[in-house]
């Protein structure tokens, strides 16, 4: 489900199919990862199913889109970043540390160097699902243009 950007919210059994096999999760509540489900509970019964009660938090489509930032690798300075990361004495930094602490030291040094040497750019997020690529949008617009031309020709 993660490859399709879906998240399953219910993990409790909602139907007893065969008593020997136990309860099964039959009724699913799945959303895209950007939607928020609150207060999900498996409650009273309807027939041999249990009800799923939840509230769905949705964003008002009329609200302004928030701009996000992402790393702009086209304007990076990897040479300076490599020089900075090579300047640390890792033997001293990691002496008498366990593997988890060493990992955190390296992760922190890379994150700091990334923040300093790779600029960020503002992007405006779209409301399109992840699979809706630019090529698909171009093809849809081309189809729309053909239909518009056809309807103008028939007039």
């Amino acid at each position: 489900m993660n490859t399709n950007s879906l998240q399953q919210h219910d993990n409790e059994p909602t139907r007893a199919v065969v008593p020997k096999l136990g309860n099964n999760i039959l009724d699913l509540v799945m959303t895209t990862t950007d939607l928020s489900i609150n207060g999900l509970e498996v409650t009273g019964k309807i027939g041999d199913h249990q009800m799923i009660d939840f509230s769905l938090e949705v964003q008002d489509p009329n609200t302004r889109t928030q701009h996000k930032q992402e790393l702009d690798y086209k304007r990076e300075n990897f040479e300076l970043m490599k020089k900075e990361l090579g300047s640390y004495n890792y033997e001293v930094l990691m002496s008498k540390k366990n593997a988890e602490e060493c990992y955190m030291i390296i992760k922190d040094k890379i994150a700091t160097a990334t923040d300093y040497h790779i600029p960020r750019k503002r992007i405006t997020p779209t409301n399109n699902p992840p699979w809706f690529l630019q090529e698909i949008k171009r093809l849809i617009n081309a189809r729309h243009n053909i239909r518009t031309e056809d309807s103008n020709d028939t007039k």
Side-chain angles (χ1 to χ4, degrees), residues 28-94:
L28 300 176
V29 176
M30 294 188 301
T31 64
T32 54
T33 53
D34 58 342
L35 291 177
S36 179
I37 296 282
N38 296 319
L40 187 132
E41 292 181 73
V42 177
T43 59
K45 283 187 144 192
I46 299 177
D48 60 349
H49 288 262
Q50 289 188 295
M51 292 188 296
I52 300 175
D53 185 30
F54 61 91
S55 62
L56 177 62
E57 191 175 300
V58 294
Q59 182 180 4
D60 181 3
N62 297 325
T63 59
R64 289 188 67 156
T65 304
Q66 296 293 323
H67 292 281
K68 294 182 182 181
Q69 290 190 345
E70 65 180 25
L71 295 173
D72 187 1
Y73 292 104
K74 290 180 181 175
R75 297 182 338 170
E76 50 66 29
N77 192 340
F78 280 128
E79 287 305 314
L80 282 176
M81 185 174 169
K82 192 164 100 175
K83 194 174 190 178
E84 179 183 330
L85 290 172
S87 70
Y88 297 112
N89 187 343
Y90 291 101
E91 253 184 64
V92 173
L93 286 172
M94 296 184 198

Side-chain angles (χ1 to χ4, degrees), residues 3 17 37-38 102 139:
T3 57
V17 178
I37 296 282
N38 296 319
C102 291
L139 291 169

Side-chain angles (χ1 to χ4, degrees), residues 97-129:
K97 305 267 192 298
N98 64 30
E100 181 70 24
E101 292 169 326
C102 291
Y103 166 75
M104 293 306 290
I105 289 170
I106 292 171
K107 181 181 167 194
D108 181 55
K109 296 294 182 197
I110 291 172
T112 303
T114 299
D115 286 343
Y116 189 76
H117 296 289
I118 303 176
R120 296 188 177 269
K121 62 181 176 181
R122 273 179 61 166
I123 59 167
T124 303
T126 65
N127 292 329
N128 297 332

